[in-house]
Amino acid sequence: MHDVEIIINKNMQETRQNRISRLLQKELASIFQTQTRMMHGVLVSVTRVKVSPDLSICTAYLSIFPSEKGDELLKNINANEKTIRYELGQRVHNQLRIIPELRFFIDDSLDYIERIDELLKK
């Protein structure tokens, strides 16, 4: 019986983690959409969000178009992490008591897929 309780608790924790990941992904995407609206021709998408089991760290993977601006924009985003976290807190304060620390990375999987397509066409 004890093993069943552990599995149920683990599944509940994973479900909560997934729900919070989806919430944070949606809100971060909205924040980036608002912030990049003035930067014509630039698009930042939040492709994936992972939240640590204790919900203290949120790792967000970003797809940036055009990809040549990726490093520059990522540097800017990381420099403004506290502002982004504050804005996120304003949006989700009813759902989360503690706003997780934010970590941002470039999701280069689309570039990788594009490169494979190019190689396959040759």
Side-chain angles (χ1 to χ4, degrees), residues 60-99:
Y61 294 88
L62 310 175
S63 177
I64 298 173
F65 179 84
S67 55
E68 305 83 61
K69 294 192 177 216
D71 291 337
E72 176 190 341
L73 277 171
L74 184 63
K75 200 178 289 184
N76 191 295
I77 288 167
N78 282 319
N80 290 294
E81 183 266 341
K82 286 189 181 5
T83 306
I84 296 167
R85 187 175 179 203
Y86 176 79
E87 175 68 26
L88 185 63
Q90 295 297 299
R91 293 166 178 248
V92 300
H93 70 274
N94 291 332
Q95 292 101 322
L96 295 177
R97 277 183 292 143
I98 297 170
I99 307 308

Side-chain angles (χ1 to χ4, degrees), residues 4-22 50-57 96-97:
V4 172
E5 289 175 16
I6 290 172
I7 290 171
I8 290 171
N9 285 338
K10 186 172 190 273
N11 286 343
M12 286 173 57
Q13 177 66 22
E14 286 175 2
T15 303
R16 183 164 186 252
Q17 247 178 291
N18 291 339
R19 193 181 71 234
I20 291 170
S21 291
R22 286 192 305 272
K50 289 183 180 178
V51 180
S52 62
D54 65 356
L55 309 178
S56 67
I57 298 171
L96 295 177
R97 277 183 292 143

